[in-house]
């Protein structure tokens, strides 16, 4: 007999810990925004709002707060309203050039209509910074908030300007993030400055705050990549403003400097996955270290399956890394929980709480399995984590189920969760949730697999000095791309557990492509290759997904270098848009933004590869190289200079010029060395003809000699060695005598 389990929503599923989750939820709660309120006050007067003439700053929004009740009134697109007599503060938002504005004006409504004028020139530049002159701002946000939690946020811009004020009950919260100037994905920033401050009741005329590095709280973040290198962001959220983010390393170390005694909640986001970093609210000069992403990733120690009033409730963990940091926000993660007592079966699907009906009293044997599956381009380890428990319990006991939690660690993994050909020590620590009441826990087996669990090899197990601990030695053959692990344990009461981690860590060999089932990706088309990276551009990839189920999810990733050790990587920021072609096929479009490529190093120019990871109910596809695109640093040729001028018929001319290309490692174009440049001549309206060629030196300079032309005309330089069309210089006319 099979019964469907009652299910409940599990929004608190990815908590950092029960206590800190409650704190984070409170601190991240969005304050009540200002809202429009119909005005029906007796004796109200008309108030008009205007901007100072000639300021050149157009007002976007106006919000008015009653300074007694802090009731908020949003004017929307209107420039006037009616207000009852009283004291008010008006806040205008605006954006002009590189600056976002919060313009504050206090005024009083008494006996007549009036006009309140906003003066953008009174707004001061608000800056939070350190004594590190090599740092640059990556983002700044600001919010004005009131005692009633009404808020007004400044437009997102490069600079922030706010009018100084002295208004009890009104505060300004500012958040700014910085990194080392010139940082790129190829050379990530070694530090992040996360600066925040709240001016309560007044913003003084001096709107610059400065800390020395030694005054900040410093946390060293060691990042272990999830099986590959992916674009990674440190995302930080203070109490009232929206989050800011800074590019960080996807496999390495950086230091997170934060304003002292300021609560900042961090998240390390990689592609479609993320690690919760908890909150930072440390004292001045505090230092610490946090390591995230260490494989194998697996469910942590739990206590979330229990009997109550004769019914069993199960709410098991998603995987965590070795530091206990949650692995969250996967775009393609599924979860299944199944309970059976030999007669009945209860099942709960993805992110659902399993609850049985009331069960008969008396001891009985149960089998509980909890499985999470995560297949994505950005996370390639612990793609399937499964715990299977057998236990005996009395449903009337109103106690936790006697489950055993085994935790696995592996030695010798690199920053991307891979191991070489040296031996690995697999360590297991298992304990019962009943603690000493279950008696001693024994690790009964450790096995490994090189083919995702199709075949298993038992390892000799050495018992540890403490109960429930054991180790085993494993040498992965050089041909092994992935190592899966399986461990079994039992307690003295006969309760057992089997934990299986598919692709617990990477092996010495490069990962092969994967194709299972009938799922297929075909007809891939990339628009506008090659891509000359000169600004925030987009690259569109169209492809056809075919599967008997008719639905499939796919991650696209654009990478430079090798698939396992890419030197650059981009993933799509949003899900593909798909249109059905038939009952089993759909045409999808994914957009990859090249904004992050603007900070790549020069070594990342050249050929990039498009990979796809797709999943459906009936299959899995992992193609590492379905298409290529060339990323080109834009080249430039300055105006050619031809000498002598004029030239004698039958003599020789010499043309000089400089070929440069955008320097992704610096701030100005750099010389393009060793490239062939053509010298071309045009007489009158005739076509251009190549008359000679030359090679650029280390600074990109070229010097080309050629016989003088037979008559007057024009010269130019042309470079055609890069995809994307010829690069042409200006022209220089010559007169022939």
């Amino acid at each position: 007999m099979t019964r469907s389990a009652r299910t409940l929503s599990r929004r608190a599923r990815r908590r950092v810990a029960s206590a800190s989750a409650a704190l984070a939820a409170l601190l991240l709660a969005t304050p009540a925004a200002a809202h429009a309120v119909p005005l029906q006050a007796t004796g109200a007067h008309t108030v008009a709002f205007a901007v100072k003439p000639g300021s050149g700053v157009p007002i976007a929004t106006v919000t008015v707060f009653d300074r007694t009740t802090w009731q908020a009134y949003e004017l929307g697109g209107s420039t006037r309203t009616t207000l009852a007599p009283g004291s008010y503060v008006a806040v205008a938002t605006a954006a002009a050039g590189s600056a976002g504005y919060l313009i504050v004006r206090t005024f009083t409504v008494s006996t007549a209509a009036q006009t309140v004028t906003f003066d953008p020139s009174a707004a001061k530049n608000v800056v939070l910074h350190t004594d590190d002159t090599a740092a640059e701002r990556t983002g700044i946000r600001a919010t004005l908030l009131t005692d009633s939690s009404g808020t007004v946020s400044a437009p997102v811009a490069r600079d922030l300007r706010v009018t100084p004020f002295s208004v009890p009950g009104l505060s300004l919260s500012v958040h700014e993030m910085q990194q080392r100037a010139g940082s790129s994905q190829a050379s990530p920033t070694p530090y992040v400055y996360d600066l925040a401050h709240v001016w309560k009741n007044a913003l003084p005329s001096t709107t610059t705050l400065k800390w020395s590095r030694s005054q900040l709280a410093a946390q060293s973040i060691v990042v272990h990549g999830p099986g590959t290198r992916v674009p990674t962001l440190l995302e930080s959220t203070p109490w009232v403003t929206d989050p800011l983010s800074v590019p960080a390393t996807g496999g390495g170390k950086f230091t997170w400097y934060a304003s002292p005694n300021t609560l900042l909640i961090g998240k390390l986001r990689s592609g479609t996955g993320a690690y919760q970093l908890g909150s930072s609210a440390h004292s001045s000069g505090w230092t610490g270290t946090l390591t995230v992403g260490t494989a194998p990733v697996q469910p942590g120690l739990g206590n979330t399956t229990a009997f109550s009033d004769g019914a069993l409730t199960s709410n098991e963990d998603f995987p965590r890394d070795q530091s206990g940091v949650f692995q969250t926000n996967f775009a393609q993660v599924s979860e299944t929980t199944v309970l059976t007592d030999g007669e009945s079966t209860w099942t709960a699907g993805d992110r659902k709480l399993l609850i049985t009906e009331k069960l008969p009293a008396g001891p009985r044997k149960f089998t509980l399995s909890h499985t999470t599956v995560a297949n994505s381009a950005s996370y390639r380890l612990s793609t399937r984590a499964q715990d299977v428990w057998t236990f005996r319990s009395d449903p009337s006991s109103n106690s936790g189920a006697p489950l055993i939690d085994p935790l696995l660690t592996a030695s010798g993994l690199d920053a991307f969760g891979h191991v070489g050909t040296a031996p690995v020590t697999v360590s297991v620590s298992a304990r019962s949730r009943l603690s000493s009441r279950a008696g001693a826990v024994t690790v009964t087996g450790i096995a490994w697999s090189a083919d995702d669990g199709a075949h298993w090899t038992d390892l000799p197990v050495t018992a540890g000095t403490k109960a429930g601990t054991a180790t085993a030695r494993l040498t992965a053959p050089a041909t092994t791309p992935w190592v899966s692990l399986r461990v079994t344990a039992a307690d003295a009461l006969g309760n057992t557990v089997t934990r299986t981690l598919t692709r617990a860590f990477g092996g010495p060999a490069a990962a092969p492509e994967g194709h299972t089932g009938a799922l297929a990706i075909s007809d891939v088309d990339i628009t506008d290759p090659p891509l000359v990276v000169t600004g925030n551009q987009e690259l569109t990839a169209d492809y056809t997904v075919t599967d008997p189920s008719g639905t499939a999810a796919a991650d696209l990733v654009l990478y430079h270098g090798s698939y396992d050790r890419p030197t650059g990587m981009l993933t799509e920021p949003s899900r593909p848009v798909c249109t059905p072609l038939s009952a089993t096929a759909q045409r999808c479009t994914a957009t990859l933004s090249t904004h992050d490529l603007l900070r790549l190093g020069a070594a990342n120019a050249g050929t990039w590869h498009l990979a796809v990871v797709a999943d459906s109910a009936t299959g899995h596809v992992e193609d590492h190289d379905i298409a290529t695109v060339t990323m080109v640093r834009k080249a430039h040729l300055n105006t050619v200079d031809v000498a002598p001028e004029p030239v004698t018929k039958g003599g020789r001319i010499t043309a000089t010029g400089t070929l440069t290309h955008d320097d992704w490692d610096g701030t100005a174009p750099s010389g393009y060395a060793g490239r062939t440049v053509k010298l071309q001549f045009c007489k009158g309206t005739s076509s251009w003809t190549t008359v000679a060629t030359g090679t650029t030196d280390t600074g990109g300079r070229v010097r080309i000699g050629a016989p003088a032309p037979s008559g007057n005309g024009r010269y130019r330089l042309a470079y055609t060695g890069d995809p994307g069309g010829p690069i042409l210089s200006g022209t220089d006319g010559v007169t022939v005598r």
Side-chain angles (χ1 to χ4, degrees), residues 7 12 31 43 50 218 233 267 407 459 603 692 699:
T7 60
L233 296 173
K267 179 183 294 184
L407 294 180
L459 297 171

Side-chain angles (χ1 to χ4, degrees), residues 193-556:
Y193 293 119
D194 199 356
L195 310 175
H197 186 73
V198 177
W199 282 275
K200 293 185 177 181
N201 302 320
L203 176 66
S205 57
T206 301
T207 54
T208 297
L209 273 182
K210 182 177 180 180
W211 293 270
S212 67
R213 180 184 286 194
S214 61
Q215 291 176 308
L216 302 175
Q219 189 168 29
S220 179
I221 308 293
V222 181
V223 185
H224 285 196
T228 184
R229 183 193 302 275
V230 292
T232 302
L233 296 173
L234 170 63
E235 185 178 278
S236 173
T237 307
W239 175 41
V240 291
T241 62
D242 291 332
L244 289 174
S245 60
V246 171
T249 179
K253 182 173 68 174
F254 69 93
T255 303
W256 180 16
Y257 292 98
S259 298
N261 304 313
T262 302
L263 183 62
L264 295 166
I265 300 172
K267 179 183 294 184
L268 199 65
R269 187 181 297 278
S270 299
T272 56
Y275 284 108
Q276 301 284 356
L277 300 183
S279 60
S280 171
H282 303 293
S283 59
S284 177
W286 176 89
T287 60
T289 299
L290 176 65
T291 300
V292 298
T294 307
V297 171
Q298 60 199 301
L301 296 174
N303 192 22
T304 52
T305 297
F307 291 99
S308 178
D309 295 329
L312 182 77
T313 300
S314 184
N315 181 19
E316 291 298 316
D317 257 346
F318 270 166
R320 307 172 182 233
D321 66 8
Q322 294 295 305
S323 299
V325 178
F326 273 99
Q327 169 191 357
T328 63
N329 297 338
F330 285 100
Q332 296 169 355
V333 63
S334 61
E335 178 187 24
T336 306
T337 306
V338 179
L339 175 74
T340 179
D341 64 356
E343 297 180 358
S344 302
T345 299
W346 299 265
T347 301
D350 195 20
R351 297 170 183 82
K352 300 297 182 181
L353 179 66
L354 185 146
I355 308 177
T356 70
E357 71 273 11
K358 187 172 183 177
L359 302 170
R364 64 174 63 192
K365 184 177 181 179
F366 295 91
T367 299
L368 174 69
S369 69
H370 178 252
T371 306
T372 57
V373 177
N375 285 311
S376 72
S378 60
Y379 200 93
R380 302 166 66 207
L381 299 181
S382 292
T383 54
R384 187 175 188 270
Q386 183 182 59
D387 286 324
V388 178
W389 294 278
T390 64
F391 61 96
R392 292 187 62 82
S393 194
D394 184 347
S396 65
S397 63
N398 288 334
S399 63
L403 306 186
I404 301 170
D405 293 311
L407 294 180
L408 290 79
T409 61
S411 65
L413 304 184
D414 66 14
F416 302 102
H418 288 260
V419 69
T421 56
V424 179
T425 298
V426 178
S427 301
V428 180
S429 175
R431 74 180 191 188
S432 171
R433 298 184 189 178
L434 290 185
S435 219
S436 60
R437 289 178 292 159
V441 175
T442 303
V443 176
T444 55
I446 301 174
W448 80 285
S449 171
D451 53 11
D452 292 348
H455 302 87
W456 291 95
T457 300
D458 290 324
L459 297 171
V461 176
T462 301
T465 56
K466 294 183 179 180
T469 63
T471 59
R473 296 278 282 176
L474 162 66
T475 300
T479 56
T480 305
W482 305 107
V483 173
S484 299
L485 295 175
R486 184 178 67 192
V487 60
T488 56
D491 64 20
L493 299 179
N495 303 309
T496 69
V497 64
T498 300
R499 170 163 290 181
T500 305
L501 301 179
T502 304
R503 302 190 178 184
F505 53 85
E513 295 185 338
H515 299 268
T516 60
L519 175 64
I521 305 293
S522 61
D523 299 328
V524 179
D525 180 34
I526 299 181
T527 59
D528 298 328
L531 190 64
V532 180
V533 182
T534 58
N536 187 14
Q537 298 166 278
E538 292 181 340
L539 183 143
T540 301
D542 298 297
Y543 55 96
T544 299
V545 181
T546 306
D547 187 81
S549 67
T551 59
D555 273 345
L556 289 184

